[in-house]
Amino acid sequence: MKQQAYIDANKERFLDELFDLLRIPSISAQSAHKPDMVRCAEWLRESLLKAGAERAEVMPTEGNPVVYAERIIDPAKPTVLVYGHYDVMPVDPREEWRTEPFEPVVKDGRIWGRGADDDKGQLYMHAKAFETMVATETLPCNVKFMLEGEEEIGSASLYKWCADHKEMLAADVILVSDTSMLGMETPSITCGLRGIAYMQVEVQGPNKDLHSGLFGGAVANPANVLSKMIASLVDENGHITIPGFYDDVRLLTDEERTAFNSAPFDIERYKQNINIPDVAGEEGYSTMERTGVRPSLDVNGIWGGYTDEGTKTIIPAKASAKISMRLVPNQDHETISRLFSEHFKAIAPAGVTVKVEALHGGAPYVTPTDLPAYKAAEKAVEDTFGKKPLPFYSGGSIPIISGFEKILGIKSVLMGFGLDIDAIHSPNESYGLENFYKGISTIVKFYQYFAESK
């Protein structure tokens, strides 16, 4: 009870500190924000020291720095390694924000601002849960923190950093809050993530922009060609047409599909939340299956030609797109990247040349639900939310999670508290105050149950 009393007594300070963190525009995808990445890392180091870390430092990588911190109460006791990321997505399109992205506000019981959920709000719950246990002298485990600044761009530098610091990172489990729940009334724990293969393509036509009247109809238009090529990647049944794409996808049994679709899911609420008239996707599969256990392919951005105000009648010299594919267990992102590249070049017509680049990728991940750490998370969520959480397969990707198991040999538990209404990666990102405070309380309980299990 004294832990909850401490949380309640410090709620406003916790929120004020989170707001200070959210004000730092740590956008990893944009080089102009490189100084902000360092400033954010240094802010977190100081925050963890104040929370009770015996050691905290900003450690360099080949890219953005990692914040490492620890408190070792007894080498014989279990160790929890907390992972989170302090980088955030770009705010574009800026004009669609109803508040300032990096000036957080509370409205309608929610924190509004970039990073409010993904992942500053969620990682900061761990810092405050840690502070709570230290301050109340109830910390039952050793704790280590590993907070990176490149998750939103593929965590490229973290793989080598982990390999270089394997001994320092030794732990019994990695605890992550960077995922969502089915709902406040239907709590869940993510036990599976899709992998990702992220590509950039360029279709080149003439050596310069051409007059669309003088050359239209006689020269292949790269924007037209790119549109047709992309459209051909998914057929009318929502099936991806790249040869070999599904070769390693394991089909669920009828029993598995029934169990997977037994989780409560309100399709009308789902459509209402994102304001669409109907869902779409691979024929023969439910929305839950399409986003959890089936792969997908999506255009993340497309550009070429004249897009400013007014008109300019041209055939653009080139057109480009960014395309991501979400992958399911057994699919290898390097294999999929190769298959995509080969296919995309093969379907190009004679009048253009094509470049394909793999920007980043990562493997899918599955957490066994019989892990002691998973069971501890399950009990903690049930205590806080009043219901036993359902195991849930998320459509999202955190590529480094599978890397942790490969490099460090440690399983991860994905105990996230976001909701589908939080608009992560979109304008007007938000995070519920209830989620933030309940998350802190749940994390404290996790440590109690995990220590008992050991």
Side-chain angles (χ1 to χ4, degrees):
M1 292 298 292
K2 62 181 178 179
Q3 295 165 331
Q4 190 59 50
Y6 184 87
I7 294 169
D8 291 341
N10 289 278
K11 277 185 174 183
E12 291 304 315
R13 176 173 61 84
F14 289 177
L15 188 62
D16 288 344
E17 292 173 3
L18 174 59
F19 274 29
D20 287 343
L21 177 60
L22 293 174
R23 290 188 180 103
I24 304 173
S26 49
I27 304 173
S28 55
Q30 297 173 349
S31 58
H33 289 281
K34 190 75 173 178
D36 295 314
M37 305 306 298
V38 176
R39 183 158 63 97
C40 193
E42 291 173 343
W43 190 97
L44 285 166
R45 175 192 60 197
E46 293 305 310
S47 181
L48 289 169
L49 285 171
K50 291 176 184 176
E54 298 166 328
R55 170 191 175 189
E57 55 188 291
V58 175
M59 303 184 69
T61 73
E62 294 177 351
N64 294 323
V66 171
V67 182
Y68 177 80
E70 66 179 28
R71 187 179 180 96
I72 308 299
I73 61 170
D74 183 347
K77 290 185 178 292
T79 299
V80 176
L81 175 59
V82 176
Y83 165 79
H85 66 91
Y86 62 87
D87 64 321
V88 298
M89 277 283 176
V91 299
D92 308 78
R94 176 65 185 81
E95 65 275 8
E96 292 186 13
W97 284 80
R98 296 188 294 271
T99 65
E100 288 295 322
F102 294 108
E103 188 51 57
V105 297
V106 172
K107 183 180 179 182
D108 300 325
R110 302 186 65 78
I111 306 161
W112 298 84
R114 175 57 88 221
D117 170 340
D118 185 19
D119 180 44
K120 289 180 178 178
Q122 295 217 58
L123 77 81
Y124 206 60
M125 296 184 309
H126 288 270
K128 297 298 98 178
F130 171 65
E131 177 191 316
T132 297
M133 291 182 287
V134 172
T136 58
E137 300 181 338
T138 56
L139 182 65
C141 302
N142 304 310
V143 184
K144 298 177 179 179
F145 287 86
M146 172 177 52
L147 310 178
E148 69 149 324
E150 295 184 344
E151 194 277 338
E152 300 293 14
I153 55 173
S155 303
S157 302
L158 195 57
Y159 293 88
K160 183 179 185 301
W161 186 87
C162 285
D164 290 344
H165 299 90
K166 185 174 180 179
E167 185 175 342
M168 181 183 76
L169 297 171
D172 295 278
V173 69
I174 299 173
L175 184 61
V176 184
S177 294
D178 191 20
T179 52
S180 297
M181 300 187 301
L182 288 170
M184 297 299 282
E185 300 301 319
T186 311
S188 58
I189 297 176
T190 300
C191 57
L193 293 167
R194 291 195 289 188
I196 189 171
Y198 197 105
M199 317 295 293
Q200 182 163 312
V201 300
E202 178 184 281
V203 175
Q204 177 76 51
N207 61 359
K208 56 182 176 294
D209 292 349
L210 301 177
H211 189 293
S212 63
L214 298 178
F215 292 91
V219 175
N221 183 317
N224 293 0
V225 171
L226 176 61
S227 300
K228 290 179 181 179
M229 292 173 68
I230 289 174
S232 75
L233 295 175
V234 181
D235 68 19
E236 65 276 9
N237 297 316
H239 194 83
I240 296 165
T241 60
I242 299 169
F245 185 88
Y246 292 96
D247 285 358
D248 296 322
V249 174
R250 186 180 76 85
L251 295 176
L252 270 63
T253 65
D254 290 343
E255 293 78 9
E256 287 173 324
R257 291 188 69 182
T258 298
F260 188 85
N261 284 293
S262 64
F265 179 70
D266 187 337
I267 189 68
E268 294 305 319
R269 177 178 171 274
Y270 180 86
K271 292 188 292 185
Q272 182 180 10
N273 282 342
I274 54 178
N275 194 27
I276 58 171
D278 204 358
V279 295
E282 189 177 4
E283 187 175 309
Y285 293 92
S286 68
T287 298
M288 292 278 282
E289 289 175 302
R290 290 168 179 168
T291 58
V293 294
R294 296 297 294 172
S296 61
L297 182 151
D298 288 285
V299 176
N300 304 121
I302 186 167
W303 64 97
Y306 183 74
T307 58
D308 289 339
E309 184 180 2
T311 63
K312 185 182 182 184
T313 50
I314 60 165
I315 294 173
K318 61 184 177 182
S320 305
K322 295 180 187 289
I323 299 170
S324 65
M325 293 161 285
R326 302 288 176 161
L327 314 177
V328 295
N330 295 346
Q331 284 187 299
D332 174 67
H333 68 92
E334 292 181 349
T335 299
I336 294 300
S337 295
R338 176 180 56 80
L339 292 174
F340 176 94
S341 180
E342 292 172 351
H343 177 68
F344 204 76
K345 291 174 181 177
I347 62 175
V352 299
T353 57
V354 170
K355 294 180 183 177
V356 181
E357 179 183 6
L359 297 184
H360 69 80
Y365 182 76
V366 176
T367 299
T369 55
D370 58 354
L371 282 181
Y374 183 91
K375 294 296 184 184
E378 191 175 57
K379 290 176 69 176
V381 172
E382 184 173 9
D383 272 7
T384 308
F385 286 82
K387 289 183 180 179
K388 185 176 181 179
L390 296 171
F392 174 66
Y393 286 79
S394 170
S397 306
I398 311 176
I400 192 62
I401 299 297
S402 58
F404 289 152
E405 183 168 8
K406 183 177 180 180
I407 298 166
L408 303 176
I410 309 172
K411 291 285 187 182
S412 297
V413 169
L414 305 162
M415 190 173 67
F417 299 90
L419 297 174
D420 59 5
I421 61 172
D422 293 351
I424 61 174
H425 294 203
S426 303
N428 305 304
E429 180 179 352
S430 65
Y431 190 44
L433 284 172
E434 183 181 6
N435 302 64
F436 179 64
Y437 292 126
K438 276 193 172 182
I440 297 171
S441 300
T442 305
I443 292 164
V444 169
K445 291 178 180 294
F446 167 85
Y447 280 89
Q448 173 193 335
Y449 290 129
F450 184 59
E452 291 173 359
S453 75
K454 290 294 188 176

